[in-house]
Amino acid sequence: MHEQIKNINTLEELQALYSATFGKNGTMTARLKEMKNLDNDARAALNQENQVLRELFKTRQTEIENAVLMAGLQKQKLDVSLNPMPENRGTLHPLTQSFKEVVNIFESLGYTYMTGPEIEDDWHNFTALNTPMHHPARDMQDTFFLTNGNVMRTQTSAVQIRAMKKNGVPIKMFTVGQCYRKELDATHSAMFGQIEGLYIDTIEKGVNLSDMLATMRTFASKYFEKDDLELRIRPSYFPFTDPSIEIDMKFGDKWMELLCGGMVHPNVLKNCNINPDKYQGFAFGFGWARLVMIKYGLNDIRAFTDSDVRWLKSAGF
Ligand code: DAH
């Protein structure tokens, strides 16, 4: 019996033998029942055997349990070379990445970053920008008007005005910020970012349109990391610049609109208490998402604010 117990390797078998020995109909149970018929020595011997057997079962149980535990641990051995979790790191949103690039480039060109409010008053958003009350340009932009007469700014050009009022001239500033218009389709979003720049200096310094073109070419070649850019200029109209232009850039065999701008209109300077006989300069505006869309070949501006990680991943971010 002793050897038999020691040779058992599973708890089930051990349990079966234990029951067959100490259970209701067990061999030892039967012998213990007959103990009263034994003499003293035989009783003592039986008691002794009873105890030894119980001890043996207990010891073997502990041994088997330990062996099972060890076998389990062996199987669970840590492989420190395994990747503990699927890698799922976040990235900066494409607009945030582009913001940093744009800021770096304009700062390297000597432009100072400035900001203005997204809830703007009518004067900064329209009037000071040479867009009087009944000017048709106000209809060009479908504006969100607030009940107190303020507007959700429709263009970052309002920040030009704030910058000139605050710092005076000469000035070389830019801003990046959100604007709002009542429009929504694949290429227009009700909230959209713009990049705006302004460079005004003395007449003697003579900041002119070709300076603007050179600046824009430098910006674009740095931003798109391309030296041999093909740009073309089209005449345009904005109430706050004269002359006004739009600049397109060739991508493959397609011309893409890149930015708008022009020489700041004398009325805008006057509205900011700057003498247009003494100062002149240019201003320009980009679509922020448009820059990213051109750079990465994306075509739906709405995706930028959908918060769909699958889109971000498929766009390579
Ligand atoms: N504010 C214009 C728009 O929203 C863009 C623009 C055009 C900005 C000409 C300028 C500029 O600074 O000079 O469409």
Side-chain angles (χ1 to χ4, degrees), residues 294-307:
I294 295 177
K295 188 165 178 174
Y296 298 99
L298 310 172
N299 46 31
D300 192 344
I301 197 172
R302 292 165 297 192
F304 283 94
T305 43
D306 275 351
S307 300

Side-chain angles (χ1 to χ4, degrees), residues 125 129 140-141 154-158 160 179 181 192 194-198 212 236-246 257 259-265 282-287:
N125 196 78
L129 286 159
M140 274 162 55
Q141 300 169 345
T154 61
Q155 49 188 356
T156 44
S157 301
Q160 289 181 26
C179 303
R181 291 182 202 174
F192 57 97
Q194 281 194 337
I195 298 158
E196 184 90 15
L198 174 76
M212 174 172 152
S236 187
Y237 172 76
F238 299 98
F240 34 89
T241 42
D242 189 20
S244 301
I245 59 168
E246 291 184 28
E257 181 194 315
L259 70 116
C260 313
M263 295 302 291
V264 175
H265 196 288
F282 60 78
F284 55 86
F286 290 85

